[in-house]
Amino acid sequence: MRERFFIDASADVAGAGQAMFAQLRAVQRVVGTGAGHTSAAFHEAYHPYLDQVWAYRVAVREELRDRTFSPASFRWGDWDGKDRCPICRDELTMGA
């Protein structure tokens, strides 16, 4: 899929897609160390990934000349979801 970005997509969409894949790899590395979905380590990688997923979606919508949106469109504070994450709101300790 990543190679398709470099062939078919505009520079903005390809860049957003590449950033999303890079952050997904960071999530995979953290999970590979044994971090569970409730650990601080997982959330430190997951929320930047979620932010990149939304950046990719916005880039695609802009390219398609569709109406773009922002976190405020959903009454959210930011794309990364930390403000909506019950685990992060409880301020996990490292390695939990």
Side-chain angles (χ1 to χ4, degrees), residues 43 47 50-51 71-72 74-90:
H43 284 260
H47 290 290
L50 187 57
D51 193 46
F74 302 96
R75 297 188 181 122
W76 296 343
D78 211 341
W79 287 126
D80 68 11
K82 284 185 177 182
D83 60 333
R84 302 176 307 280
C85 178
I87 294 169
C88 289
R89 287 192 318 240
D90 287 341

Side-chain angles (χ1 to χ4, degrees), residues 32-46:
T33 68
H37 75 282
T38 60
S39 71
F42 176 83
H43 284 260
E44 287 172 9
Y46 172 73

